Amino acid sequence: SATWLIMRPPDTDGCNLCGNTCFGKYRGQYNIAGVQGVWCNGLGEALLQRSKTETCTPGASYGPLDSVTPDDCGYLSEESVRKLARYAFGVRLIDEGLGEAHSSDRSAADALRNNVSWQNAAAFTVTGGSWCFDVPTDCVPSADGWPEMYDTCSRSDCVHWISATTHSSTGSRPITGSFTWLKMVENPACFIPIKLRSSSLGEDARSETGADPLQEDDGCRLGSLSCAVVGVISGAICLALCVVVAIVSVLRRRKAAATGQKFHPQSVMKATASEQQWMSALNTTMALSDTTLTNNPLAGAVIA
């Protein structure tokens, strides 16, 4: 026999790259974005809601929970969902046996952040089934914010993602059960701010985090920015020093030709006192660059 201890990276404040997202985490429970016991599925998604028709009863065994796992009946509180949604870009709804619906255009995550419904603010793509999101014109939906997210009133064949039906793709309770998964972003705590990212990624940071990282600095983003700036400056200095070495080589070649002396490429390395200062600066810069790239790979991306 063998007993294995499953280890997890620590969730700490400050510059912990994954402390605010399920991205990069194995399946299990973690403390994410200030919410304890968040269930991550190993695919970068956090579980917000779970119902099992066999054991969940609306109003009795189905309600808000401090944490939700695939074995539970219930959903996270509005406050917890709002915290997690700050680091999300979409949602995935599953009605077991009837397919699933995805929203990845940020509108669904925005609604969770602002505690409003998906009624008129989110577009979904359905796979593995035929979900209906049609709302009758005379419908007065009960959906007004988490956990009441979508209501098609009298349309029993359409989505009722509300607690009364234990969150279902129809007007009845799910045949087996349902899930609400939150799609979380990659390493939001240490994204390089929008001014450096937009030129290479072709989009602003809000399309991924839903918030301007410059306005929500937590001590990491500015650190990443400083590392990136150092990397850019280091690269520029290295380029300048390489140009200086090339110029010295050309000048010495011309001097040798003018005096009739034979030019030896090795003589370029026999630096004068002034040139030795340049070479010392080069060595210092290269050491700084190595440290920067070791401590912050993002700086390498900026230099590239």
Side-chain angles (χ1 to χ4, degrees):
S1 65
T3 301
W4 292 95
L5 181 65
I6 302 175
M7 308 291 289
R8 298 171 178 165
D11 290 318
T12 59
D13 294 329
C15 289
N16 176 19
L17 291 178
C18 296
N20 292 321
T21 177
C22 280
F23 186 92
K25 287 182 168 57
Y26 293 107
R27 187 172 182 266
Q29 286 184 285
Y30 299 85
N31 296 335
I32 305 291
V35 181
Q36 296 184 348
V38 177
W39 182 269
C40 300
N41 64 357
L43 302 174
E45 298 175 337
L47 183 59
L48 304 185
Q49 167 271 329
R50 170 62 165 142
S51 75
K52 296 188 293 183
T53 302
E54 183 179 355
T55 56
C56 298
T57 303
S61 60
Y62 190 70
L65 300 172
D66 292 334
S67 64
V68 179
T69 74
D71 296 325
D72 290 325
C73 288
Y75 44 83
L76 293 179
S77 68
E78 182 273 326
E79 180 182 4
S80 295
V81 169
R82 181 161 35 85
K83 289 180 179 179
L84 294 171
R86 290 179 58 208
Y87 303 100
F89 66 91
V91 298
R92 183 165 65 103
L93 316 179
I94 299 177
D95 190 333
E96 293 179 294
L98 296 178
E100 53 189 70
H102 304 253
S103 176
S104 300
D105 64 356
R106 202 190 72 194
S107 58
D110 283 344
L112 293 174
R113 273 191 292 273
N114 298 318
N115 194 29
V116 297
S117 73
W118 296 325
Q119 204 74 19
N120 299 307
F124 288 89
T125 300
V126 179
T127 59
S130 56
W131 293 27
C132 163
F133 289 88
D134 298 336
V135 180
T137 56
D138 60 346
C139 174
V140 180
S142 61
D144 57 2
W146 184 261
E148 318 300 338
M149 297 308 296
Y150 206 98
D151 183 14
T152 54
C153 297
S154 59
R155 289 294 301 269
S156 60
D157 58 331
C158 294
V159 171
H160 287 68
W161 215 256
I162 53 179
S163 59
T165 60
T166 61
H167 296 89
S168 174
S169 64
T170 69
S172 304
R173 298 178 62 195
I175 297 175
T176 302
S178 65
F179 296 85
T180 301
W181 292 100
L182 184 67
K183 300 179 180 181
M184 305 198 74
V185 300
E186 175 181 358
N187 298 340
C190 288
F191 271 149
I192 297 176
I194 179 175
K195 296 301 182 183
L196 292 179
R197 285 169 20 84
S198 57
S199 61
S200 61
L201 299 184
E203 58 186 355
D204 68 274
R206 288 187 59 85
S207 65
E208 296 176 351
T209 66
D212 187 345
L214 289 174
Q215 296 178 359
E216 294 186 4
D217 176 64
D218 57 5
C220 293
R221 297 187 180 97
L222 294 183
S224 296
L225 175 60
S226 64
C227 288
V229 170
V230 169
V232 173
I233 294 174
S234 300
I237 293 175
C238 288
L239 178 61
L241 291 176
C242 289
V243 172
V244 169
V245 172
I247 293 175
V248 170
S249 176
V250 171
L251 292 177
R252 290 195 172 184
R253 185 184 295 273
R254 290 182 178 179
K255 181 178 178 180
T259 59
Q261 297 177 353
K262 185 176 181 180
F263 174 72
H264 297 282
Q266 295 85 348
S267 66
V268 176
M269 301 310 297
K270 298 178 181 179
T272 65
S274 176
E275 291 164 353
Q276 287 176 357
Q277 294 179 357
W278 279 99
M279 297 306 294
S280 177
L282 175 61
N283 291 333
T284 302
T285 301
M286 293 304 295
L288 176 60
S289 299
D290 291 342
T291 302
T292 299
L293 296 179
T294 299
N295 293 337
N296 195 327
L298 291 175
V302 174
I303 294 175

